Amino acid sequence: MKTISTENSHGGTQGVYIHRSDACDCDMTFAVFLPPQAKARKLPVLWYLSGLTCTHANVMEKGEYRRLAAELGIIIVCPDTSPRGDAVPDEPDNWQFGKGAGFYVDATEPPFAQNYRMYSYVVDELPKLIAGEFPVDMDRQGIFGHSMGGHGAITIALRNPERFSSCSAFAPISHPSVSGWSKPAFQKYLGSDDTAWRAYDACSLIEDGHRFPEFLVDQGTADSFLEDGLRPEELRQACETAGISLRLRMQEGYGHSYFFISTFMEDHLRWHARRLGD
């Protein structure tokens, strides 16, 4: 692991780092915010997964999480959204696929299977690196994210309920197997057999018996992707059928951007903090 940059912020440190990833077969960049309490003890960790076209930098620069994370004593880790590099296959003219659009799946289809293994990267490889390099209490982990990253957070929590104490999302892609902007990506990453897609689809995972105690989801009513891309009502229905507690808050007039995310970031951090304990 190499340090790209560190900056003091709210008594803590915002760092950006790079390392060679075996899962993605390329160099990967990530950001970590260490609150001031990290100088004295291990702290809970909250993973933030970003959306389409984003890198680690979007939430780091526009998410407005550091002041409250410093107050609450929570470490925030922000991975990239996909593998990077000249050797990584891509569709440069397609913002819904390739670099910046890893969808937090382990691709099985060539040529993408060699690099696009974001599920394994986020669930296995990066946590091992973080646990070895930073003062994190790995018994207290939460996960959240936005859009494609909200999809990633919910599916990862459903598949790893013993690991995470909390999960929330901003405008998640709730049913990517049928969503207009994720279904084509699933076909290219995972093949034409849609039964293989179910492991990365929140509604399908719940239907197949996966469970997580509760979710908090915020969704803007003015989000242009609401009906086709995000489908929050289908997540609500799946959770109601399965008896999973879902607090779905439809936020009047809000869109899909970081103006929306930063507005409700404090609510999410406090919600996680209550579940991560101290």
Side-chain angles (χ1 to χ4, degrees):
M1 186 185 80
K2 296 181 181 179
T3 300
I4 296 176
S5 65
T6 57
E7 296 286 348
N8 291 341
S9 181
H10 297 282
T13 304
Q14 177 66 68
V16 179
Y17 309 90
I18 191 168
H19 73 114
R20 181 70 184 180
S21 167
D22 291 332
C24 297
D25 194 22
C26 65
D27 289 342
M28 294 291 288
T29 303
F30 62 93
V32 178
F33 176 68
L34 295 177
Q37 300 92 326
K39 299 171 185 175
R41 66 182 190 275
K42 290 186 175 182
L43 298 175
V45 58
L46 187 54
W47 304 84
Y48 179 90
L49 306 184
S50 290
L52 285 164
T53 77
C54 292
T55 70
H56 68 282
N58 296 73
V59 68
M60 184 181 76
E61 295 171 355
K62 298 182 288 187
E64 301 181 19
Y65 58 78
R66 276 176 291 273
R67 178 194 60 79
L68 190 58
E71 175 187 319
L72 297 172
I74 298 176
I75 294 171
I76 310 288
V77 179
C78 308
D80 201 349
T81 56
S82 77
R84 305 279 177 177
D86 293 339
V88 174
D90 189 24
E91 291 185 5
D93 297 326
N94 183 2
W95 64 274
Q96 298 173 340
F97 185 76
K99 295 177 185 177
F103 278 94
Y104 304 100
V105 305
D106 279 355
T108 56
E109 296 297 297
F112 309 106
Q114 180 173 344
N115 303 106
Y116 287 85
R117 303 185 68 245
M118 289 301 296
Y119 179 85
S120 289
Y121 178 70
V122 170
V123 172
D124 297 321
E125 185 176 22
L126 187 58
K128 290 177 182 176
L129 178 65
I130 295 295
E133 298 286 345
F134 298 95
V136 294
D137 182 349
M138 298 300 279
D139 291 329
R140 294 186 291 164
Q141 298 185 62
I143 190 167
F144 67 151
H146 169 235
S147 192
M148 178 184 74
H151 136 76
I154 294 173
T155 56
I156 288 171
L158 283 166
R159 291 177 62 177
N160 302 273
E162 72 290 342
R163 178 180 298 187
F164 297 101
S165 301
S166 57
C167 178
S168 72
F170 304 98
I173 303 174
S174 297
H175 202 174
S177 294
V178 298
S179 170
W181 64 356
S182 50
K183 183 177 179 180
F186 274 31
Q187 290 173 328
K188 293 174 185 177
Y189 286 137
L190 302 170
S192 59
D193 181 2
D194 59 9
T195 59
W197 306 357
R198 299 182 70 84
Y200 303 104
D201 184 304
C203 291
S204 298
L205 283 167
I206 293 170
E207 183 179 318
D208 291 345
H210 291 265
R211 295 292 182 266
F212 196 78
E214 58 179 341
F215 298 110
L216 169 65
V217 172
D218 275 313
Q219 172 64 64
T221 62
D223 191 320
S224 60
F225 304 111
L226 179 61
E227 298 300 327
D228 180 48
L230 304 175
R231 301 171 178 257
E233 288 302 322
E234 294 178 31
L235 180 63
R236 186 202 298 272
Q237 183 177 19
C239 287
E240 286 181 355
T241 300
I244 296 173
S245 175
L246 169 65
R247 187 178 183 190
L248 175 59
R249 308 192 305 183
M250 301 301 295
Q251 302 293 357
E252 187 65 32
Y254 282 90
H256 197 69
S257 74
Y258 270 89
F259 295 109
F260 159 64
I261 297 166
S262 62
T263 299
F264 300 102
M265 178 64 75
E266 179 169 344
D267 289 355
H268 283 245
L269 291 181
R270 292 194 182 279
W271 190 85
H272 284 278
R274 289 193 293 272
R275 287 149 181 83
L276 293 173
D278 196 359

